[in-house]
Amino acid sequence: KAGVTQTPRYLIKTRGQQVTLSCSPISGHRSVSWYQQTPGQGLQFLFEYFSETQRNKGNFPGRFSGRQFSNSRSEMNVSTLELGDSALYLCASSPQTGFSYNEQFFGPGTRLTVL
Amino acid sequence: SQQGEEDPQALSIQEGENATMNCSYKTSINNLQWYRQNSGRGLVHLILIRSNEREKHSGRLRVTLDTSKKSSSLLITASRAADTASYFCATGAIQGAQKLVFGQGTRLTINP
């Protein structure tokens, strides 16, 4: 099976702009999670989607949003970009059957730089 | 905020030696997972240990979990240069969906 893919891999934006990142999970995986990684805060959970519904959300402002489509592909959007949004954004998918925890499979990430 | 801490923050050893990394966490968990990350790339899942398990092995990896001390350790035996990476522990809560809370990670360097 193909792994988790994320597009674009690199992105440069300026303050105030908005950005949309895309994630295609492993075929058959219905859970998609997003994480932000920065040198200062480390890896932080943004949100998780399952069957097109946001099931969990981290402590991020409303400028961060996401959605999941019927084919499980997911997008996250950041509006009104700030310098502090510069980070590696990682998407992870999981087969998750029932309420049991499964390992998460991560994509290569999108490196966002805000100037 | 991070769930816990990893110790040490950085570790440098010679190839062939064993590497041990520790992770402490704060709240009750359903499971604890270890991931590896090479140079700012995506994370690779190494091993998952559930809260009712005390030890788990996978190849050269050995993970222990002590829920009474809220701590875990990852042992990599017979290290190789290719093991050079950052290692993260991540905890899954008892209730909730696929939300992992990561530690700050240990930067492991294997010297040839």
Side-chain angles (χ1 to χ4, degrees), chain A residues 89-103:
Chain A
Y89 289 88
L90 294 162
C91 167
S93 74
S94 173
Q96 207 220 348
T97 55
F99 288 96
S100 297
Y101 270 92
N102 304 101
E103 64 184 275

Side-chain angles (χ1 to χ4, degrees), chain A residues 55-104:
Chain A
R55 196 161 57 171
N56 252 314
K57 191 177 190 303
N59 296 323
F60 279 82
R63 299 185 298 107
F64 292 81
S65 63
R67 59 177 176 169
Q68 185 180 35
F69 302 95
S70 58
N71 61 358
S72 292
R73 189 176 70 85
S74 177
E75 288 181 348
M76 68 162 282
N77 184 76
V78 188
S79 62
T80 319
L81 284 166
E82 301 176 359
L83 295 178
D85 297 333
S86 294
L88 181 67
Y89 289 88
L90 294 162
C91 167
S93 74
S94 173
Q96 207 220 348
T97 55
F99 288 96
S100 297
Y101 270 92
N102 304 101
E103 64 184 275
Q104 295 194 24

Side-chain angles (χ1 to χ4, degrees), chain A residues 8-28:
Chain A
R9 293 292 310 279
Y10 301 91
L11 206 49
I12 299 176
K13 292 285 188 179
T14 56
R15 280 181 298 173
Q17 288 187 310
Q18 74 166 17
V19 66
T20 299
L21 311 181
S22 181
C23 171
S24 292
I26 292 172
S27 177

Side-chain angles (χ1 to χ4, degrees), chain A residues 34-38 41-47 57-65 76 84-85 87 89, chain B residues 1:
Chain A
W34 289 88
Y35 295 84
Q36 180 197 64
Q37 186 177 29
T38 60
Q41 298 298 317
L43 279 153
Q44 294 190 292
F45 173 80
L46 279 158
F47 28 63
K57 191 177 190 303
N59 296 323
F60 279 82
R63 299 185 298 107
F64 292 81
S65 63
M76 68 162 282
D85 297 333
Y89 289 88
Chain B
S1 62

